[in-house]
Every structure is written in structure tokens, then in C-alpha cells.
């Protein structure tokens, strides 16, 4: 019987031998992982190798199995046998034949997405001296191009540009989904010009970040269903304007004791600036009483139910004079709010009667439904007539009303 001292020395030897085996196994696994990482990072990525050709251990399951075998004591013979020099070939021999035969070489393609091209509206147009309707054209054309070409739509971040605040105030998406960049980051971007005034010129794809200039007053900039859906999503009203518009329509229905199936027709009368001498000289006509009488009659005959005309204008007194007796023969409700409140109310109507202009266009476009428009906007032979393109400005499905 062996003495306790001899047993203790044997146990100590066994423990030391086991520790050495584990240490060398860890060194071998580290070498394998280093080699595999080198091949994944440089050249064709090949995480598995043919053990017969490379004598390399499969660096996932096999290496884990090998470490486990040493720590669980399955290789007890290795603990009592003479010390061996551990090599990669030696470790490879311990991989089962089934795993060797199943080991294959495959390539891994690592795809790195390129940064998306960014597109914006040129600052001097977006922040220039024009009104809401023009701004919506500029932004809509730019956004539609972003949808079409899968670009990233961004806008200028500038406290001096009041129209950014107007868009944020009126539409919810400008507060949630639009990226804003300082002018210093976009001022050197390529500038894509519009071409002749009020003539449709498509926005061509670019290879670098760029800004879109021009008024872009044509529905053709957002023709596809995806582009139109994108623009409608961009111009979703903020909650406060939704509430005000719904309250106004509710008040109109109550005033005329109309039923739930009553139809609202938004009427926009652009008058103020068009009555100025320089506008008249330029050839811009103003929709008169004859137009509204014809449009009201056509709309009333088109629908066989209660019709309420919600009217908004920039010159209420002149507007009331033009409508005259229509205010007694038809259900006319005046929306005497701010430009943004009137815009929201008119876009929430079912159909539209518009006098022409960019504000009128967006009222009809966002409301959807039937739209009757003033077709004699330009006086023949005038400067404005030369630059006016009705087929690009008014939708083909809209109904023209001629008075001349």
C-alpha cells in the first residue's frame, strides 16, 4: 500500500499535467482563431478549412469540444503518458472523421451600405419672399425626387428662415421625420436649376449631394403613386389644425342643419394681390362672379345631397361682393381664419372650387375629390400667358370652368 506522501505527490503530478494540457490547448485555440480572423479580414472570408489540406482545426465546435475533453478528464491517458509537443496537426488529429468529411469551404460576402445621397431645397427659394403655396411646391418636388431615387431628404436649419417654422407649425412630419442640417454643411452642394419659369423640368438623378432650386410648379414632379403617397404623408396636418378644421366643418353643418351625408366643397378666392395694377398689367386675371356662379351651379348639379360651400379668401369684403346672391341661394360658410387655418379647413373638405394659384392648387390636390378651377387665368397675348402652362399646372382630371 502506497504511503500518503506518495499518493499526494501523484495527485499533484496529475493536476499539473492537466493544467499543462489545458494551457497548451488554449494556446492552440488562440492560434487558430487568430489565423481565422486574419483570413476573414483580408481577402476572401473563409471561416472553415479542409483539415486534410490545411491541418487546421475547425475553429468553432471542434475547438470547444477539445477543451471540454481536457477539462472533463476523458483524455486521462494523456495525463499519464509522456509529455508531447502540441502542434496544430496534433490537434487536428483529434477531430472526428465525420466532421472532417463535412468540412467545406465557403465564401462570406460582407456588404457595406454606401451613404445615401442627400437632397434639399435651395435656401434662397425656400426662405425667399414667396408665400405658402410656392413653398409647398418646392418642398414637394424635392421630396418626391428623394422618394423616386431613394435619396435622403433634408432641410436647412436656420433660425432666420421663418418658413421652416411655418412648415413645422402646420405639418407634423416636419417635426418627426425630417433631418435638418446647418447651412455650412449644404452651401457647397451641387445646385440643380429649374429651367424656364413654370415649365416642367424633371429632377435628374445625381451622384453627389445636391439642392433643388426653382418654384417647380407642376404636378408632374410627383406623378407616381409612391411619390404622391410620400408627399401626402409629408403634408399631414398637425393635431391643432386638424381639430380646428373639424370644428369649423361641424359648425357649418350645424348652421345649415345638414345631415351626416352633407358634402363640403372648399372654395378658395385669391383676390388681394391679383387686384394690384402691376398684376393686371402682367396678364393675370382674377376669377369673377361669373366663374363662381358657373362653378357653384356645376357642383350643385353634380351632387344629389346637401352641399355646403366653405369659402376662404384674402379679401373678405371683396369676396362677399363677388359672391353676391350665391350666399343666399346656396349654403355658404365663411372660414375667417389665418392663412394656415383656412388652408387646413379647405383641405379637409370633400371637393374644391379654386380660383388658380399655388395655394389653390394645394387645396384641391390635398382635398382630393372633384375640383373645378378657373381656366382663364392668363390673358392671351400677355407676358404671363407666355409662361403659363395649364396642362402642367392643373391635374388632367380636374374640371376647367371657362368664362371668356
Amino acid at each position: 500500500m502506497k504511503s500518503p506522501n506518495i499518493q499526494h505527490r501523484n495527485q499533484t503530478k496529475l493536476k499539473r499535467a492537466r493544467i499543462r494540457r489545458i494551457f497548451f490547448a488554449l494556446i492552440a485555440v488562440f492560434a487558430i482563431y487568430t489565423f481565422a480572423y486574419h483570413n476573414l479580414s483580408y481577402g476572401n472570408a473563409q471561416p472553415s478549412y479542409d483539415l486534410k489540406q490545411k491541418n487546421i482545426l475547425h475553429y468553432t465546435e471542434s475547438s470547444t469540444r477539445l477543451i471540454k475533453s481536457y477539462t472533463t478528464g476523458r483524455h486521462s491517458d494523456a495525463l499519464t503518458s509522456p509529455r508531447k509537443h502540441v502542434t496544430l496537426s496534433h490537434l487536428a488529429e483529434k477531430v472526428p472523421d465525420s466532421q472532417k468529411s463535412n468540412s467545406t469551404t465557403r465564401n462570406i460576402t460582407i456588404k457595406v451600405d454606401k451613404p445615401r445621397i442627400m437632397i434639399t431645397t435651395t435656401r434662397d427659394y425656400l426662405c425667399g419672399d414667396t408665400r405658402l403655396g410656392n413653398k409647398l411646391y418646392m418642398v414637394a418636388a424635392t421630396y418626391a425626387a428623394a422618394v423616386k431615387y431613394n435619396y435622403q431628404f433634408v432641410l436647412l436649419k436656420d433660425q432666420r428662415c421663418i418658413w421652416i417654422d411655418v412648415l413645422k407649425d402646420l405639418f407634423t412630419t416636419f417635426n418627426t421625420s425630417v433631418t435638418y442640417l446647418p447651412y455650412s454643411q449644404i452651401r457647397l452642394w451641387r445646385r440643380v436649376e429649374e429651367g424656364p419659369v413654370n415649365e416642367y423640368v424633371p429632377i435628374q438623378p445625381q451622384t453627389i449631394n445636391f439642392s433643388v432650386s426653382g418654384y417647380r410648379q407642376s404636378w408632374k414632379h410627383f406623378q407616381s403613386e409612391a411619390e404622391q403617397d410620400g408627399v401626402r404623408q409629408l403634408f399631414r396636418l398637425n393635431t391643432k389644425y386638424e381639430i380646428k378644421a373639424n370644428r369649423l366643418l361641424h359648425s357649418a353643418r350645424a348652421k345649415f342643419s345638414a345631415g351626416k351625408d352633407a358634402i363640403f366643397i372648399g372654395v378658395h378666392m385669391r383676390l388681394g394681390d391679383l387686384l394690384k395694377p402691376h398684376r393686371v398689367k402682367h396678364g393675370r386675371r382674377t376669377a369673377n362672379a361669373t366663374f363662381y356662379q358657373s362653378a357653384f351651379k356645376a357642383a350643385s348639379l353634380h351632387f344629389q345631397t346637401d352641399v355646403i360651400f366653405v369659402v376662404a379668401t384674402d379679401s373678405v369684403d371683396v369676396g362677399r361682393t363677388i359672391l353676391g346672391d350665391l350666399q343666399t341661394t346656396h349654403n355658404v360658410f365663411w372660414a375667417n381664419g389665418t392663412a394656415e387655418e383656412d388652408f387646413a379647413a379647405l383641405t379637409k373638405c370633400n371637393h374644391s372650387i379654386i380660383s388658380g394659384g399655388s395655394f389653390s392648387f394645394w387645396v384641391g390636390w390635398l382635398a382630393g375629390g372633384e375640383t373645378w378651377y378657373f381656366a382663364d387665368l392668363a390673358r392671351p397675348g400677355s407676358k404671363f400667358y407666355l409662361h403659363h402652362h395649364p396642362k402642367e399646372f392643373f391635374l388632367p382630371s380636374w374640371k376647367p370652368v371657362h368664362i371668356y
Side-chain angles (χ1 to χ4, degrees):
M1 181 176 181
K2 294 182 180 179
S3 65
N5 291 336
I6 294 176
Q7 291 180 353
H8 177 71
R9 286 197 298 271
N10 289 338
Q11 291 177 357
T12 301
K13 289 181 179 180
L14 291 174
K15 290 180 180 180
R16 290 177 177 175
R18 178 177 296 177
I19 292 172
R20 284 196 298 270
R21 293 295 185 186
I22 294 174
F23 176 74
F24 289 129
L26 291 174
I27 292 177
V29 171
F30 175 77
I32 294 169
Y33 270 94
T34 302
F35 185 88
Y37 177 80
H38 175 81
N39 282 272
L40 284 169
S41 303
Y42 308 97
N44 293 331
Q46 298 178 342
S48 302
Y49 297 88
D50 191 336
L51 299 180
K52 293 183 180 179
Q53 296 180 0
K54 299 291 185 178
N55 287 329
I56 298 176
L57 181 67
H58 190 279
Y59 59 86
T60 52
E61 298 179 359
S62 302
S63 57
T64 304
R65 188 183 300 110
L66 181 63
I67 294 175
K68 183 177 180 181
S69 67
Y70 279 109
T71 56
T72 56
R74 289 185 178 180
H75 291 272
S76 58
D77 58 331
L79 301 178
T80 57
S81 61
R83 181 178 177 181
K84 296 181 181 180
H85 180 65
V86 179
T87 64
L88 296 180
S89 299
H90 173 72
L91 293 176
E93 291 175 357
K94 299 191 178 293
V95 179
D97 293 337
S98 60
Q99 184 168 344
K100 290 183 181 180
S101 60
N102 293 332
S103 178
T104 59
T105 301
R106 59 190 178 91
N107 295 331
I108 298 178
T109 302
I110 301 177
K111 181 180 180 181
V112 179
D113 294 332
K114 295 181 179 179
R116 294 168 65 192
I117 293 174
M118 290 187 285
I119 181 174
T120 189
T121 302
T122 305
R123 183 176 72 164
D124 53 350
Y125 278 91
L126 180 62
C127 304
D129 189 21
T130 53
R131 298 192 293 186
L132 180 62
N134 286 322
K135 306 305 181 185
L136 299 187
Y137 263 121
M138 302 171 194
V139 173
T142 305
Y143 190 82
V147 172
K148 182 177 182 179
Y149 301 121
N150 192 29
Y151 296 158
Q152 181 181 359
F153 173 75
V154 301
L155 281 180
L156 171 71
K157 183 180 181 180
D158 190 344
Q159 295 179 349
R160 297 171 296 178
C161 185
I162 63 172
W163 285 105
I164 296 296
D165 295 331
V166 172
L167 293 174
K168 287 183 176 181
D169 177 63
L170 184 55
F171 303 113
T172 183
T173 308
F174 288 88
N175 299 285
T176 58
S177 305
V178 175
T179 301
Y180 294 89
L181 298 178
Y183 181 63
S184 59
Q185 294 187 23
I186 67 177
R187 65 186 184 88
L188 297 179
W189 287 7
R190 175 182 293 171
R191 178 169 172 145
V192 176
E193 301 293 343
E194 179 180 25
V197 179
N198 294 332
E199 182 176 335
Y200 170 65
V201 177
I203 300 174
Q204 299 296 334
Q206 305 292 320
T207 57
I208 59 176
N209 299 336
F210 66 105
S211 64
V212 177
S213 67
Y215 294 103
R216 306 288 172 174
Q217 294 186 357
S218 175
W219 58 269
K220 293 182 179 180
H221 284 292
F222 32 92
Q223 299 186 54
S224 73
E225 183 177 351
E227 293 163 5
Q228 292 180 30
D229 290 344
V231 173
R232 291 186 184 279
Q233 179 69 17
L234 184 67
F235 293 157
R236 285 192 303 115
L237 295 173
N238 268 327
T239 303
K240 66 177 182 179
Y241 288 107
E242 287 269 4
I243 294 175
K244 289 181 179 180
N246 290 331
R247 286 177 178 173
L248 184 142
L249 298 182
H250 179 76
S251 298
R253 180 185 285 112
K255 178 180 178 180
F256 300 108
S257 301
K260 294 183 178 180
D261 59 344
I263 291 177
F264 294 97
I265 299 180
V267 181
H268 180 240
M269 305 176 68
R270 181 178 177 180
L271 297 170
D273 64 319
L274 296 184
L275 300 177
K276 296 180 179 180
H278 74 279
R279 288 283 192 178
V280 177
K281 183 179 179 180
H282 188 62
R284 186 70 176 264
R285 285 172 170 165
T286 304
N288 57 19
T290 304
F291 163 74
Y292 291 106
Q293 291 169 3
S294 300
F296 273 50
K297 181 179 180 181
S300 299
L301 293 175
H302 187 80
F303 302 106
Q304 302 299 321
T305 185
D306 292 334
V307 176
I308 300 175
F309 297 90
V310 179
V311 184
T313 181
D314 52 2
S315 301
V316 177
D317 292 338
V318 178
R320 289 182 181 275
T321 301
I322 291 176
L323 291 188
D325 293 339
L326 290 175
Q327 299 172 85
T328 57
T329 58
H330 296 74
N331 298 330
V332 175
F333 188 89
W334 289 88
N336 299 319
T338 65
E340 291 77 19
E341 291 171 347
D342 289 349
F343 179 86
L346 295 178
T347 59
K348 297 297 288 184
C349 292
N350 307 111
H351 309 281
S352 307
I353 293 175
I354 58 176
S355 59
S358 55
F359 190 99
S360 285
F361 171 87
W362 286 108
V363 165
W365 195 86
L366 290 172
E370 302 292 342
T371 299
W372 290 265
Y373 67 91
F374 180 46
D376 301 313
L377 198 61
R379 187 178 70 249
S382 65
K383 292 182 179 180
F384 180 68
Y385 185 84
L386 298 176
H387 302 294
H388 182 54
H389 304 279
K391 292 184 179 180
E392 296 180 358
F393 192 85
F394 300 109
L395 293 181
S397 60
W398 289 359
K399 297 174 173 58
V401 178
H402 294 275
I403 61 175
Y404 295 103

